[in-house]
């Protein structure tokens, strides 16, 4: 071989050695070489397991999918480039071969509402928002409308309502609809929607699972029935997660249970401290004894871990006072996102629910004095001291 040819080929496509690396390496190849065309044909035809093209499947994604599917008790999973990409493909999968209509909870992440109203509705999908805590009314509407999909969050963003996933599964299955659950806030440490009858469970991996603020990703965990349609859709539209993000997410998940336990314990302390602070009008936290979904919480969160999100209203505050309070924070990071090792605070009216009209926000109960705190793994005394000083400003 000549020098220029060697530069292109030497060292590549070596047969794997028998030793196995202890953690999954980052596989950057876009396509895969087979010994023969016959074998490649079998892989393309799904008669033999194997990799041929990274948009279809790749070793890095497969390892992460295996991991998350195991934690969520699913049949299989699809790693996606963001949480929103995951929600989009999950809903499209649920709607394939069913009626093109969605019943969605009236308490959802703002971009999910935007995706339903600005992407799916204009493409001919009927979307109806409902109070999914009024089970009788929901059952009646779902039985009559027979939607293809019921979409909810286990713990809603940002008011932290807790959905009765098992009851919602009964209601949707009676009507032939698929139940899609965004489990980002609850995480599989506390709740595994597949065990409660969900068909497709979605996560923004960006949050607790990756956990360090350095990955954007999502995942759909599927039951047996929807797994092949989900993969077929993904092969066509290609929402897949890149190998570096797969690696970082797997690395993050190794410490996810430890981080999450600590964050939950910290959140309980922070929530009860906030509840007794005179400048705090109202606290939203699933561990709060007066939470409206206490029955669901007792059933879904049996270990006294209630998640690590705490939302609260600053007494008498408008946008200016909230800005002053948040500008005074020294430790808690003022930034969009949640679930990282560091505590973070977000102003929903300005960010997560910005695209939602003030009228609809009011209907959703998201007021101008509401802030959302994602409690991190720091020493809880330091988090509380930071909040205390900022509330005094
Ligand atoms: C509950 C929930 N689901 C989905 C998403 C979207 O995730 P991503 O930003 O990774 O697309 C978010 C983002 O904040 C979220 O809070």
């Amino acid at each position: 071989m000549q020098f220029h040819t060697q530069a292109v080929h030497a060292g590549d496509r070596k047969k794997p050695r028998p030793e196995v690396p202890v953690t999954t390496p980052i596989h950057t190849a876009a396509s895969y070489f087979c010994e023969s065309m016959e074998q490649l044909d079998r892989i393309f035809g799904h008669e033999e397991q194997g990799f041929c093209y990274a948009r279809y499947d790749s070793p890095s994604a497969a390892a992460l999918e295996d991991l998350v599917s195991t934690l969520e008790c699913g049949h299989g999973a699809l790693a996606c480039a963001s949480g929103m990409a995951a929600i989009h493909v999950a809903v499209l999968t649920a709607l394939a071969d069913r009626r093109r209509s969605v019943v969605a909870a009236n308490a959802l992440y703002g971009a999910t509402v935007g995706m339903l109203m600005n992407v799916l509705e204009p493409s001919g999908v009927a979307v109806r928002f409902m109070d999914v805590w009024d089970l009788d009314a929901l059952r009646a509407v779902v039985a009559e409308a027979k939607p293809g999909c019921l979409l909810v969050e286990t713990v809603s963003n940002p008011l932290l309502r807790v959905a009765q996933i098992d009851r919602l599964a009964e209601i949707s299955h009676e009507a032939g609809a698929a139940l899609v659950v965004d489990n980002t806030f609850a995480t599989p440490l506390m709740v595994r929607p597949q065990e409660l009858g969900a068909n497709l469970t979605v996560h923004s991996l960006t949050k607790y699972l990756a956990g360090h603020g350095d990955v954007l990703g999502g995942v759909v965990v599927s039951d047996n029935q929807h797994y092949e349609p989900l993969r077929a859709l993904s092969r066509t539209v290609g929402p897949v997660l890149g190998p570096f993000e797969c690696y970082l997410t797997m690395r993050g998940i190794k410490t996810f249970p430890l981080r999450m336990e600590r964050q939950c314990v910290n959140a309980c302390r922070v929530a009860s401290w906030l509840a007794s602070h005179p400048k705090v009008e109202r606290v939203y936290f699933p561990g709060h004894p007066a939470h409206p979904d206490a029955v669901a919480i007792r059933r879904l969160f049996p270990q006294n871990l209630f998640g690590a999100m705490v939302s609260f209203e600053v007494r008498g505050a408008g946008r200016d006072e909230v800005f002053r309070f948040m500008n005074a924070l020294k430790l808690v990071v003022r930034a969009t996102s949640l679930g990282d090792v560091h505590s973070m605070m977000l102003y929903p009216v300005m960010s997560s629910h910005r695209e939602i009209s003030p009228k609809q926000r009011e209907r959703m109960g998201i007021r101008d004095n509401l802030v959302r705190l994602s409690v991190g793994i720091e020493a809880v005394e330091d988090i509380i001291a930071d909040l205390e000083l900022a509330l005094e400003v």
Side-chain angles (χ1 to χ4, degrees):
M1 296 273 184
Q2 296 199 18
F3 188 80
H4 286 70
T5 309
Q6 284 175 327
V8 175
H9 291 278
D12 263 341
R13 295 180 289 283
K14 289 265 198 285
K15 273 224 171 298
R17 291 179 50 89
E19 314 83 67
V20 179
V22 294
T23 57
T24 305
I26 303 170
H27 295 267
T28 55
S31 50
Y32 290 82
F33 167 79
C34 290
E35 284 299 329
S36 67
M37 284 303 291
E38 285 75 11
Q39 188 185 18
L40 191 58
D41 185 40
R42 288 194 298 278
I43 293 173
F44 265 110
H46 310 296
E47 292 151 37
E48 182 176 322
Q49 276 209 324
F51 301 105
C52 52
Y53 189 50
R55 196 181 75 235
Y56 301 169
D57 202 0
S58 74
S60 297
L64 171 62
E65 288 160 355
D66 212 7
L67 171 59
V68 180
S69 181
T70 302
L71 297 183
E72 280 286 5
C73 303
H75 172 79
L78 172 76
C80 296
S82 70
M84 285 318 303
I87 296 172
H88 191 204
V89 287
V91 171
L92 291 182
T93 301
L95 292 182
D97 300 329
R98 288 196 179 90
R99 281 173 60 107
R100 288 179 63 74
S101 73
V102 177
V103 169
N106 60 1
L108 289 174
Y109 171 52
T112 306
V113 176
M115 187 267 291
L116 292 169
M117 293 174 68
N118 306 328
V119 179
L120 292 190
E121 227 171 24
S123 74
V125 176
V127 179
R128 180 162 180 172
F129 293 96
M130 288 231 27
D131 177 349
V132 298
W133 290 272
D134 184 346
L135 293 178
D136 291 337
L138 181 72
R139 178 175 275 114
V141 165
V142 168
E144 204 212 302
K146 295 218 178 322
C149 164
L150 177 61
L151 173 64
V152 301
E153 290 170 0
T154 315
V155 178
S156 73
N157 181 359
L159 294 180
L160 312 180
R161 294 291 310 265
V162 177
Q164 303 209 40
I165 303 298
D166 46 359
R167 300 281 148 76
L168 298 177
E170 275 166 32
I171 291 173
S172 46
H173 297 160
E174 275 164 21
L179 177 64
V180 179
V181 178
D182 182 338
N183 201 35
T184 301
F185 276 33
T187 84
L189 181 67
M190 270 81 78
V191 185
R192 290 169 290 278
Q194 303 289 130
E195 288 186 326
L196 301 170
N199 301 97
L200 296 150
T201 301
V202 177
H203 278 277
S204 166
L205 292 172
T206 319
K207 312 294 171 6
Y208 290 104
L209 292 177
H212 294 77
D214 50 10
V215 175
L216 190 78
V219 69
V220 185
V221 179
S222 175
D223 61 6
N224 189 12
Q225 182 195 350
H226 295 85
Y227 185 63
E228 203 27 61
L230 171 70
R231 293 226 71 107
L233 179 65
S234 169
R235 282 194 291 273
T236 309
V237 297
V240 297
L241 188 62
F244 291 101
E245 286 78 8
C246 290
Y247 165 79
L248 281 173
T249 307
M250 285 191 79
R251 189 181 161 106
I253 290 176
K254 290 182 196 306
T255 56
F256 151 69
L258 302 177
R259 285 186 276 111
M260 193 68 208
E261 278 163 6
R262 164 90 176 203
Q263 286 173 267
C264 289
V265 170
N266 278 356
C268 271
R269 288 271 305 274
V270 170
S272 53
W273 180 82
L274 284 167
S276 62
H277 196 287
K279 286 213 176 151
V280 173
E281 196 168 320
R282 197 182 324 192
V283 175
Y284 299 85
F285 180 61
H288 202 295
H291 193 287
D293 307 315
V295 176
I297 292 164
R298 263 199 303 281
R299 288 190 15 244
L300 263 62
F301 295 79
Q303 317 158 69
N304 273 346
L305 300 174
F306 302 106
M309 299 300 298
V310 183
S311 296
F312 59 97
E313 291 168 358
V314 182
R315 192 177 294 284
R319 178 187 159 97
D320 290 351
E321 291 76 20
V322 169
F323 274 27
R324 199 174 334 125
F325 160 59
M326 289 184 64
N327 279 332
L329 294 166
K330 298 266 184 299
L331 174 78
V332 175
V333 182
R334 291 179 296 275
T336 287
S337 200
L338 61 113
D340 290 337
V341 284
H342 46 263
S343 296
M344 303 174 86
M345 192 179 286
L346 163 152
Y347 185 33
V349 167
M350 193 197 76
S351 50
S352 63
H353 291 70
R354 188 187 185 101
E355 304 304 329
I356 294 180
S357 70
K359 228 184 187 158
Q360 195 177 350
R361 274 204 305 262
E362 200 183 302
R363 272 203 301 275
M364 292 169 91
I366 299 169
R367 302 195 177 85
D368 285 356
N369 63 346
L370 180 81
V371 295
R372 194 194 77 188
L373 173 65
S374 166
V375 180
I377 63 168
E378 303 96 335
V380 70
E381 295 78 9
D382 290 332
I383 303 170
I384 290 175
D386 194 40
L387 294 170
E388 186 162 30
L389 278 178
L391 280 169
E392 272 165 24
V393 172

